[in-house]
Amino acid sequence: MVTIELYGVARLRAGREVIELDARSLGEALLGLGATCPVLEPSIVAGGRLAPGWLVALNGAQITADPETPLGDGDVVVLVSADAGG
Amino acid sequence: MGRGGFFGRYLRVDLGQKRAEHVPLDEATLRAVVGGVGLGALLLGRETPPGFDPLGPEAALVLAFGPLVGTPLTTSAKLAFVAKSPLTGRISDGLSSSAFAIAGKRAGVDAIVLVGAAEEPSIVLVDEAGATLVPCPELWGRDFAISEASERLGQAYPDHRFAVIGVAGERLVRYAGIANDGRHAGRGGLGAVLGAKRVKAIGVRGIRPVPLADAEATLRIAKDLARRSLGPATEKYRSLGTVANLSTFNRLAALPTRNFQASTFEDARRIEGEALHETRERGRGSCKSCTIGCEHFFEVRPGQRPVKMEYENLFALGPLCGIGDPEVVLRASSACDELGIDTISAGGTIAFAMECAEKGLFPAGPLAEEARDLVFGAGERLLSMLEDIARRRTPLGDLLAEGSRRAAEIVGGEAPSFAPHVKGLEIPGYEPRALQTMALGFAVGTRGADHNRSGAYEADFSGKVNRFEPDAAEAAEHAVAAEDRAAVMDSLILCKFLRRAMDDFYGESAEMLRAVTGLPFEAKDLVEAAGRITLVRRLFNEREGWTPAEDTLPARFFEEKLPGGAAKGAGIDRARFARSIDAYHARRGLDERGFVPAEVAREMMAWMGGKYR
Ligand code: SF4
């Protein structure tokens, strides 16, 4: 089981802060996220990938957009906008 | 001179002599530095002698417009206030967007330069014919809120648009800002520069249309840009505004808390943008000529006027001071705007004082007495401290009005090691240990710790570098690239929130400039201009005493590790950071110590008009 945390626009749109699902890679987690929250498709997640301007911080630390990134039980995927400025 | 965008002259106002004259600007100069912060830096160097006092009569305050101001391009209603900062002793350029910018440009000038000082408190009225000085005893020393002073000026001179200082500017608070139309050129104390000139406000009246070399092309580009400005790249700004950063930064352990002692805040949930949006949002607004509209207004208390809030205000007056009460943070932000002080420097300096107070560092006597209840989380005390600072009305208020660097030098002991500044400018809301490419951007910034002139955090948030331990050369590359893009945006001038809506930044910028000015700008010209603008600023700083030792961070960031959250244990390695700085200097074309090489300086000064070194 992995946890996806939503922030900013993604949280606003989805109306949820946290989603839990089974996934072995970031791509699988994003597919699951899109299926659970279709409002995030396609401008935030698009077919198992992140849309431009979006990233995840794996367990809050390592920042990536690579769908091949492996995930294990208990991992936390923090979905963030890359426009963290101003 | 081209056929549009520029007027090819600036208005020089000598306040002491009560004289104004138009000074020509040639096309080559304007092409070389574009406008905005580039032109402002150039004119500041030209108009001042080496080593001048930023609060003395030899100081100059430059109001520089850009070639795109007054055109139909979205977010183009901006101007740059440029001066030597009384907080840092280095160059400072504060930008703001407003109808003031358009009216100023339409007075038929590319810039207005104020030199000298008025004999008595005055306002300066500028129009096509020149400038007039009008004494304003009814406005000076009266403790008016900025909104009230602006309203009175508007009633007295309905044809003019005004840039105004508050109580803090009159009292020479070293981080006083300049307000126009509710926007603030906040950083670096430019309001004190105006206050020292005994100028309460600058009023501009302009009716001359800004000429467009190719009006059809300009309109086509403007329409396309406006359409793109409403796409997904700016959704964050439209739906939540910059306050959205707070929860994300807290999760990523990049949220400066309790004067940078931590990077996560236990009360973040109460003040995060999402929560404010849900419970308190009462409307949106925008700067003049902007299609994005990132301003969000939040309710303080029912029946009271809602308050505009940005991430930088929120972090500085909230977590940085240990405060998690949204009402206090909103009131504090509004107080800073009405008193006319920079929120980041105010929050940073008070947070620093809170740490000093908690550690018992204030010398026994009035300072220690006054600081007794200045503890992290003391919301009402924060509010009264802001008033004390803006009016310099108590010993501690007077001390903190000097900024954290000067205050730390006076407090002594270990205080300078945790005073949260670079070159005297308080650090914005990006924890350097958790965002180490940004840490480099802060250290080398010509204005000091600066999130507007360096957007190197974009590299940290991109996954392209390890944000806790970036490779020195890569960090330098990103820091230069981000600084260059900012230099061009701030010279055009367009709002940075447009940046992701542009696919080919330099190419599209050149296209806009060609359409507006009729001059043959190409992408490569703007890449060159970006580097040149940074060098002009560095030359100015060198002339004013900059040394390589200033390109650094406070000791805390090297000596203390972050205590918790996703960045737990992160610290900055001194040796690696020094290598990043060397790599930055090399990539910028500076010599091994970080100075502009003599031959480059000579060549630049030949066309800049001398006096830079
Ligand atoms: S995006 Fe925001 S800051 Fe930029 S011009 Fe528009 S309203 Fe002003």
Side-chain angles (χ1 to χ4, degrees):
Chain A
M1 187 73 78
V2 300
T3 304
I4 304 179
E5 294 179 6
L6 305 181
Y7 291 86
V9 170
R11 187 193 290 178
L12 220 61
R13 282 236 211 141
R16 299 172 67 164
E17 296 181 17
V18 171
I19 285 156
E20 292 192 323
L21 40 76
D22 287 316
R24 280 163 302 155
S25 69
L26 179 58
E28 279 184 29
L30 296 174
L31 268 179
L33 178 62
T36 315
C37 301
V39 286
L40 302 183
E41 293 264 9
S43 60
I44 295 179
V45 290
R49 291 182 174 269
L50 288 155
W54 288 87
L55 295 155
V56 303
L58 190 54
N59 299 315
Q62 183 208 341
I63 293 183
T64 181
D66 181 1
E68 305 295 323
T69 309
L71 298 180
D73 197 31
D75 274 340
V76 181
V77 172
V78 180
L79 181 62
V80 296
S81 158
D83 286 305
Chain B
M1 186 56 58
R3 287 168 289 126
F6 297 115
F7 287 108
R9 61 180 193 169
Y10 68 95
L11 181 70
R12 183 175 193 276
V13 185
D14 188 325
L15 299 162
Q17 302 290 325
K18 295 188 184 168
R19 210 174 44 215
E21 58 176 336
H22 285 106
V23 182
L25 278 166
D26 61 68
E27 183 182 306
T29 302
L30 289 167
R31 278 189 68 188
V33 290
V34 188
V37 299
L39 178 60
L42 182 120
L43 293 179
L44 178 65
R46 263 191 202 176
E47 290 285 353
T48 53
F52 67 98
D53 174 0
L55 299 177
E58 288 178 317
L61 177 70
V62 184
L63 285 65
F65 310 109
L68 309 183
V69 178
T71 72
L73 291 157
T74 185
T75 78
S76 64
K78 281 189 182 276
L79 84 155
F81 294 89
V82 187
K84 180 176 174 181
S85 161
L87 187 63
T88 68
R90 306 290 169 252
I91 194 165
S92 189
D93 40 26
L95 296 175
S96 63
S97 302
S98 65
F100 177 90
I102 297 177
K105 172 89 173 274
R106 291 184 65 186
V109 292
D110 298 319
I112 299 166
V113 181
L114 304 185
V115 296
E119 264 170 31
E120 57 188 319
S122 302
I123 58 172
V124 180
L125 297 177
V126 171
D127 61 18
E128 177 99 19
T132 323
L133 218 55
V134 181
C136 66
E138 72 286 0
L139 288 177
W140 193 269
R142 299 298 166 94
D143 223 8
F144 288 136
I146 282 195
S147 55
E148 183 167 0
S150 305
E151 210 177 300
R152 283 171 183 254
L153 284 161
Q155 279 162 4
Y157 303 95
D159 295 346
H160 288 74
R161 311 295 307 205
F162 283 93
V164 187
I165 59 167
V167 175
E170 289 183 27
R171 306 285 199 284
L172 309 185
V173 174
R174 287 184 190 269
Y175 43 93
I178 301 174
N180 48 100
D181 288 353
R183 304 295 300 188
H184 298 261
R187 305 235 67 196
L190 304 184
V193 175
L194 206 50
K197 296 190 172 306
R198 288 190 283 279
V199 172
K200 179 70 183 175
I202 304 162
V204 288
R205 181 175 60 183
I207 48 166
R208 203 199 261 213
V210 175
L212 300 174
D214 184 341
E216 208 176 299
T218 307
L219 268 177
R220 177 177 45 75
I221 297 168
K223 270 190 197 157
D224 183 42
L225 202 61
R227 181 185 54 77
R228 283 188 280 157
S229 78
L230 297 171
T234 59
E235 185 179 357
K236 169 187 150 182
Y237 302 115
R238 287 178 280 125
S239 64
L240 273 167
T242 55
V243 291
N245 292 350
L246 194 117
S247 57
T248 308
F249 282 23
N250 189 49
R251 184 62 181 88
L252 270 47
L255 177 66
T257 299
R258 293 191 174 78
N259 195 36
F260 293 89
Q261 294 182 87
S263 64
T264 57
F265 184 46
E266 66 282 4
D267 270 344
R269 289 305 303 253
R270 294 179 64 202
I271 55 170
E272 66 185 14
E274 294 89 332
L276 292 179
H277 173 80
E278 214 163 276
T279 57
R280 291 173 180 262
E281 175 131 12
R282 294 293 176 268
R284 266 177 69 201
S286 76
C287 301
K288 185 86 180 162
S289 303
C290 170
T291 44
I292 301 172
C294 73
E295 296 181 339
H296 291 254
F297 293 86
F298 301 99
E299 180 176 274
V300 184
R301 283 182 192 154
Q304 286 184 1
R305 197 172 57 171
V307 167
K308 178 154 62 76
M309 181 57 97
E310 310 271 359
Y311 167 66
E312 292 297 340
N313 305 9
L314 187 58
F315 112 88
L317 302 163
L320 196 65
C321 294
I323 290 167
D325 179 340
E327 187 182 311
V328 169
V329 181
L330 287 162
R331 283 170 61 201
S333 179
S334 171
C336 288
D337 285 353
E338 291 290 17
L339 294 161
I341 45 176
D342 177 34
T343 50
I344 303 175
S345 285
T349 305
I350 294 174
F352 159 77
M354 286 171 163
E355 187 171 346
C356 288
E358 290 199 348
K359 290 184 166 157
L361 296 181
F362 284 114
L367 285 178
E369 189 58 30
E370 204 186 328
R372 247 184 329 146
D373 54 353
L374 194 68
V375 293
F376 287 110
E380 291 301 324
R381 191 68 185 94
L382 168 84
L383 290 163
S384 63
M385 202 66 246
L386 291 172
E387 304 277 341
D388 295 343
I389 289 170
R391 297 185 177 85
R392 289 185 179 268
R393 69 181 177 190
T394 63
L396 189 57
D398 195 35
L399 176 75
L400 301 186
E402 295 291 297
S404 62
R405 179 174 65 182
R406 281 184 176 77
E409 281 159 9
I410 291 166
V411 171
E414 60 172 305
S417 71
F418 61 78
H421 71 88
V422 172
K423 301 183 178 79
L425 189 70
E426 282 70 24
I427 302 174
Y430 299 79
E431 164 56 51
R433 286 161 289 191
L435 303 167
Q436 297 200 10
T437 321
M438 189 61 188
L440 173 63
F442 281 153
V444 298
T446 50
R447 202 169 72 148
D450 193 337
H451 64 297
N452 291 133
R453 306 293 168 268
S454 174
Y457 55 79
E458 286 184 343
D460 291 313
F461 287 126
S462 71
K464 288 182 196 146
V465 297
N466 175 351
R467 68 183 170 110
F468 301 119
E469 206 172 281
D471 169 77
E474 270 177 25
E477 193 65 37
H478 287 296
V480 168
E483 203 174 63
D484 278 356
R485 272 196 307 275
V488 170
M489 286 219 100
D490 293 343
S491 297
L492 288 170
I493 310 171
L494 290 178
C495 178
K496 297 214 176 67
F497 295 164
L498 256 188
R499 66 194 184 282
R500 280 188 192 274
M502 293 165 77
D503 303 322
D504 167 16
F505 172 66
Y506 288 105
E508 288 181 43
S509 300
E511 193 191 357
M512 283 179 221
L513 287 172
R514 280 197 303 273
V516 169
T517 67
L519 296 170
F521 278 103
E522 295 295 338
K524 69 169 182 18
D525 299 324
L526 291 181
V527 173
E528 279 170 20
R532 190 181 296 123
I533 290 162
T534 303
L535 292 188
V536 176
R537 287 183 178 136
R538 287 190 82 97
L539 275 175
F540 178 84
N541 279 354
E542 286 180 19
R543 191 191 80 173
E544 299 306 311
W546 173 88
T547 68
E550 291 177 27
D551 281 1
T552 189
L553 294 169
R556 158 161 287 160
F557 299 107
F558 302 111
E559 291 165 3
E560 295 172 24
K561 308 269 191 224
L562 285 172
K568 185 169 181 183
I572 301 179
D573 179 75
R574 259 190 207 280
R576 190 167 38 76
F577 199 64
R579 285 198 301 278
S580 303
I581 289 182
D582 289 346
Y584 169 88
H585 288 158
R587 176 67 185 67
R588 254 289 155 239
L590 305 168
D591 69 19
E592 65 287 352
R593 293 182 63 211
F595 288 102
V596 180
E599 65 279 13
V600 177
R602 258 197 313 275
E603 200 182 301
M604 288 180 68
M605 282 189 291
W607 65 263
M608 284 158 59
K611 288 212 225 154
Y612 292 84
R613 187 186 252 180

